[in-house]
Amino acid sequence: MQKLDAHCHFWSLGRGDYDWLEGEGGPLAPIRRDYAPEDYPGDRKLIAVQAAATLAETDFLLDLAGREPRILGVVGWVDLESPEAVAQLEARAANPVFRGVRPMLQDIAEIDWLLRAPRKDALDALARLGLRFDLLITERHLPVAARFAAANPELPLVIDHGAKPQPGDRSAWAEGMRALARDRRIHCKLSGLMTEVPDPADLREVMGQLLDWFGPERLIWGSDWPVMTLAAPYEDWVAASEGALEGLTPDERAAVLGGNAARFYGVTP
């Protein structure tokens, strides 16, 4: 079984476009340093995901992938509001490692941005070029995501971090995620969940719900390394997630831990 981490990050702070990591001290202090592929703690193949809303960072990741054979795909960032968006997508899609885009929706104040702002020609180009769309969303975005999915039936979609469920009352989150799961085209990443739901029993409940709703054929394993290390060591997430999958058949576990990501992003482990 070839395992694939479908959600990890690399950055070089000296590049100067990681606004969310600026400053000193505070809860982000432990990850306020450079992270390169050689720092990654496992031996899995990788999908590198953008961490800055710039084309320059997307090109930085593509350059890394050109030098690091473990990086099978890059999910980058393109300004989907720009008249240049189609040309920028086409230029990067010439590199087969470029597999999709991720607008940083969780950081955009306007909840309906996804319905209003992206240009139609850019969204059409994503589908035409065989690219994917990562939904970096939270509970407040779930109804919007459902409307976006319905309006773009040709666009492959994956929900990052299970839409970041929180401790406490998750009824609205559950309702929204069940609705999205009914669209068989939509996949969901088991990534970053320890950061959001630190209690082990609570975490296991969330993972069980996602497995029930999306099934082993549409769940995708990812780590969200190194951000997830703010909550727990990488090895703890590996153990927790594999424990949550122990009731699956070997083929189903293989799908969640690598096969689904390879199929969704169109890469060969």
Coordinates of all heavy atoms in Angstrom, one line a residue, residues 37-79:
P37 N 11.1 20.0 2.4 CA 10.7 18.6 2.3 C 11.6 17.6 3.2 O 11.1 16.6 3.7 CB 10.9 18.3 0.8 CG 10.7 19.6 0.2 CD 11.2 20.6 1.1
E38 N 12.9 18.0 3.4 CA 13.7 17.1 4.2 C 13.3 17.1 5.7 O 13.7 16.2 6.4 CB 15.2 17.5 4.1 CG 15.5 18.9 4.3 CD 15.5 19.8 3.1 OE1 14.8 19.4 2.1 OE2 16.3 20.7 3.1
D39 N 12.5 18.1 6.1 CA 12.0 18.1 7.5 C 10.8 17.3 7.7 O 10.4 17.0 8.9 CB 11.7 19.6 7.9 CG 12.9 20.5 7.8 OD1 13.9 20.1 8.3 OD2 12.7 21.6 7.2
Y40 N 10.1 16.9 6.6 CA 8.9 16.1 6.8 C 9.2 14.8 7.5 O 10.1 14.1 7.1 CB 8.3 15.8 5.4 CG 6.9 15.1 5.5 CD1 5.8 15.8 5.7 CD2 6.9 13.7 5.3 CE1 4.6 15.1 5.8 CE2 5.7 13.0 5.4 CZ 4.5 13.7 5.7 OH 3.3 13.0 5.8
P41 N 8.4 14.4 8.5 CA 8.7 13.3 9.4 C 8.4 11.9 8.9 O 8.9 10.9 9.4 CB 7.9 13.6 10.7 CG 6.7 14.3 10.2 CD 7.2 15.2 9.0
G42 N 7.7 11.8 7.8 CA 7.3 10.4 7.3 C 8.0 10.1 6.0 O 8.7 10.9 5.5
D43 N 7.7 9.0 5.5 CA 8.2 8.5 4.2 C 7.1 8.5 3.1 O 7.3 7.8 2.1 CB 8.9 7.2 4.3 CG 8.0 6.1 4.8 OD1 6.8 6.4 5.1 OD2 8.4 4.9 4.8
R44 N 6.0 9.2 3.3 CA 4.9 9.2 2.3 C 5.2 10.0 1.1 O 6.0 11.0 1.2 CB 3.6 9.6 3.0 CG 3.2 8.8 4.2 CD 2.1 9.5 5.0 NE 1.9 8.8 6.3 CZ 0.8 8.1 6.6 NH1 -0.2 7.9 5.7 NH2 0.7 7.5 7.7
K45 N 4.5 9.7 0.0 CA 4.4 10.7 -1.1 C 3.6 11.9 -0.6 O 2.8 11.7 0.3 CB 3.8 10.0 -2.3 CG 4.6 8.8 -2.8 CD 6.0 9.2 -3.3 CE 6.7 8.0 -3.9 NZ 8.1 8.4 -4.5
L46 N 3.7 13.0 -1.3 CA 3.1 14.2 -0.7 C 2.3 15.1 -1.8 O 2.7 15.1 -2.9 CB 4.2 15.1 -0.2 CG 5.2 14.5 0.8 CD1 6.4 15.4 1.1 CD2 4.5 14.1 2.1
I47 N 1.3 15.7 -1.3 CA 0.6 16.8 -2.0 C 0.9 18.1 -1.2 O 0.5 18.2 0.0 CB -0.9 16.6 -2.1 CG1 -1.2 15.3 -2.9 CG2 -1.5 17.8 -2.8 CD1 -0.8 15.3 -4.3
A48 N 1.7 19.0 -1.8 CA 2.0 20.3 -1.1 C 0.9 21.3 -1.4 O 0.5 21.5 -2.6 CB 3.4 20.8 -1.6
V49 N 0.4 21.9 -0.4 CA -0.7 22.8 -0.5 C -0.3 24.3 -0.1 O 0.5 24.4 0.8 CB -1.9 22.4 0.5 CG1 -3.0 23.4 0.4 CG2 -2.3 21.0 0.1
Q50 N -0.8 25.2 -0.8 CA -0.4 26.6 -0.6 C -0.6 27.1 0.8 O -1.6 26.6 1.5 CB -1.1 27.5 -1.6 CG -2.6 27.6 -1.4 CD -3.1 28.5 -0.3 OE1 -4.0 28.1 0.4 NE2 -2.6 29.7 -0.3
A51 N 0.2 28.0 1.3 CA 0.0 28.6 2.6 C 0.1 30.1 2.5 O 0.2 30.8 3.6 CB 1.1 28.1 3.6
A52 N 0.2 30.7 1.3 CA 0.2 32.1 1.1 C -0.6 32.5 -0.1 O -0.6 31.7 -1.1 CB 1.6 32.7 1.0
A53 N -1.3 33.6 -0.1 CA -2.2 34.0 -1.2 C -1.4 34.7 -2.2 O -1.7 35.9 -2.5 CB -3.4 34.8 -0.7
T54 N -0.4 34.1 -2.8 CA 0.4 34.7 -3.8 C 0.8 33.7 -4.9 O 1.0 32.5 -4.6 CB 1.7 35.3 -3.3 OG1 2.6 34.2 -2.8 CG2 1.5 36.3 -2.1
L55 N 0.9 34.2 -6.1 CA 1.4 33.3 -7.2 C 2.9 32.9 -7.0 O 3.3 31.9 -7.3 CB 1.3 34.1 -8.5 CG 0.0 34.1 -9.3 CD1 0.1 35.0 -10.5 CD2 -0.3 32.7 -9.7
A56 N 3.6 33.8 -6.3 CA 5.0 33.6 -6.1 C 5.2 32.3 -5.2 O 6.1 31.5 -5.4 CB 5.7 34.8 -5.4
E57 N 4.3 32.2 -4.2 CA 4.4 31.0 -3.4 C 4.0 29.7 -4.1 O 4.6 28.6 -3.9 CB 3.6 31.1 -2.1 CG 4.0 30.2 -1.0 CD 3.0 29.2 -0.5 OE1 1.8 29.2 -1.1 OE2 3.3 28.4 0.4
T58 N 3.1 29.8 -5.0 CA 2.7 28.7 -5.9 C 3.9 28.2 -6.7 O 4.2 27.0 -6.8 CB 1.5 29.0 -6.8 OG1 0.4 29.3 -6.0 CG2 1.2 27.9 -7.7
D59 N 4.6 29.2 -7.3 CA 5.8 28.9 -8.1 C 6.9 28.3 -7.2 O 7.7 27.5 -7.7 CB 6.2 30.1 -8.8 CG 5.2 30.5 -9.9 OD1 4.4 29.7 -10.3 OD2 5.2 31.7 -10.3
F60 N 7.0 28.8 -6.0 CA 8.0 28.3 -5.0 C 7.7 26.8 -4.8 O 8.7 26.0 -4.8 CB 7.9 29.1 -3.7 CG 8.5 28.4 -2.5 CD1 9.9 28.4 -2.4 CD2 7.7 27.9 -1.5 CE1 10.4 27.7 -1.2 CE2 8.2 27.3 -0.4 CZ 9.6 27.2 -0.2
L61 N 6.5 26.4 -4.6 CA 6.1 25.0 -4.4 C 6.4 24.2 -5.6 O 6.9 23.0 -5.5 CB 4.7 24.9 -3.9 CG 4.3 25.5 -2.6 CD1 2.8 25.4 -2.3 CD2 5.1 24.8 -1.4
L62 N 6.1 24.7 -6.8 CA 6.3 24.0 -8.0 C 7.8 23.8 -8.2 O 8.3 22.7 -8.7 CB 5.7 24.7 -9.2 CG 4.2 24.7 -9.3 CD1 3.7 25.7 -10.4 CD2 3.7 23.3 -9.5
D63 N 8.6 24.8 -7.8 CA 10.1 24.6 -7.9 C 10.6 23.5 -6.9 O 11.4 22.7 -7.3 CB 10.7 26.0 -7.6 CG 12.3 25.9 -7.7 OD1 12.8 25.6 -8.8 OD2 12.9 26.0 -6.7
L64 N 10.0 23.5 -5.7 CA 10.3 22.5 -4.7 C 10.0 21.1 -5.3 O 10.8 20.2 -5.2 CB 9.6 22.7 -3.4 CG 10.1 23.6 -2.4 CD1 9.2 23.5 -1.1 CD2 11.5 23.3 -2.0
A65 N 8.8 21.0 -5.9 CA 8.4 19.7 -6.5 C 9.4 19.2 -7.6 O 9.6 18.0 -7.7 CB 7.0 19.8 -7.0
G66 N 9.9 20.2 -8.3 CA 10.9 19.8 -9.3 C 12.2 19.2 -8.8 O 12.9 18.5 -9.5
R67 N 12.4 19.5 -7.5 CA 13.7 19.0 -6.9 C 13.4 17.9 -5.9 O 14.4 17.3 -5.4 CB 14.4 20.2 -6.2 CG 14.9 21.2 -7.2 CD 15.6 22.3 -6.6 NE 14.8 23.4 -6.0 CZ 14.6 23.6 -4.7 NH1 15.3 22.9 -3.8 NH2 13.8 24.6 -4.3
E68 N 12.1 17.6 -5.6 CA 11.8 16.7 -4.5 C 10.8 15.6 -5.1 O 9.6 15.9 -5.3 CB 11.2 17.4 -3.3 CG 10.7 16.4 -2.2 CD 11.7 15.4 -1.8 OE1 12.7 15.7 -1.2 OE2 11.4 14.2 -2.1
P69 N 11.3 14.4 -5.4 CA 10.4 13.5 -6.1 C 9.2 13.0 -5.2 O 8.2 12.5 -5.8 CB 11.3 12.3 -6.4 CG 12.5 12.5 -5.5 CD 12.7 13.9 -5.3
R70 N 9.3 13.2 -3.9 CA 8.1 12.8 -3.1 C 6.9 13.7 -3.3 O 5.8 13.2 -3.0 CB 8.5 12.8 -1.6 CG 9.4 11.6 -1.2 CD 9.7 11.7 0.3 NE 10.3 12.9 0.7 CZ 10.5 13.4 1.9 NH1 9.9 12.7 2.9 NH2 11.1 14.5 2.2
I71 N 7.1 14.9 -3.8 CA 6.0 15.8 -4.0 C 5.4 15.5 -5.4 O 5.9 15.8 -6.4 CB 6.4 17.3 -4.0 CG1 7.1 17.6 -2.6 CG2 5.2 18.2 -4.2 CD1 7.6 19.0 -2.5
L72 N 4.2 14.8 -5.3 CA 3.6 14.4 -6.5 C 2.6 15.5 -7.1 O 2.3 15.4 -8.3 CB 2.7 13.1 -6.3 CG 3.5 11.9 -5.7 CD1 2.5 10.8 -5.5 CD2 4.6 11.6 -6.6
G73 N 2.2 16.4 -6.3 CA 1.3 17.4 -6.7 C 1.3 18.7 -5.9 O 1.8 18.6 -4.7
V74 N 0.9 19.8 -6.5 CA 0.9 21.1 -5.8 C -0.5 21.6 -5.9 O -1.0 21.7 -7.1 CB 1.9 22.0 -6.3 CG1 1.7 23.5 -5.9 CG2 3.3 21.6 -5.9
V75 N -1.1 22.0 -4.8 CA -2.3 22.8 -4.8 C -2.0 24.2 -4.5 O -1.5 24.5 -3.4 CB -3.3 22.3 -3.8 CG1 -4.6 23.1 -3.8 CG2 -3.7 20.8 -4.1
G76 N -2.1 25.1 -5.5 CA -1.6 26.4 -5.4 C -2.6 27.5 -5.2 O -3.8 27.2 -4.9
W77 N -2.3 28.7 -5.5 CA -3.2 29.9 -5.3 C -3.1 30.7 -6.6 O -2.0 30.9 -7.1 CB -2.8 30.7 -4.1 CG -3.7 31.9 -3.9 CD1 -4.8 32.0 -3.1 CD2 -3.6 33.2 -4.5 NE1 -5.4 33.2 -3.2 CE2 -4.6 34.0 -4.0 CE3 -2.7 33.8 -5.4 CZ2 -4.8 35.3 -4.4 CZ3 -2.8 35.1 -5.8 CH2 -3.9 35.9 -5.3
V78 N -4.3 31.1 -7.1 CA -4.4 32.0 -8.2 C -5.5 33.0 -7.9 O -6.5 32.6 -7.3 CB -4.7 31.3 -9.5 CG1 -5.1 32.2 -10.6 CG2 -3.5 30.5 -10.0
D79 N -5.3 34.2 -8.2 CA -6.3 35.3 -7.9 C -7.5 35.0 -8.9 O -7.4 35.5 -10.1 CB -5.7 36.7 -8.1 CG -6.8 37.7 -7.8 OD1 -7.9 37.4 -7.4 OD2 -6.4 38.9 -7.9

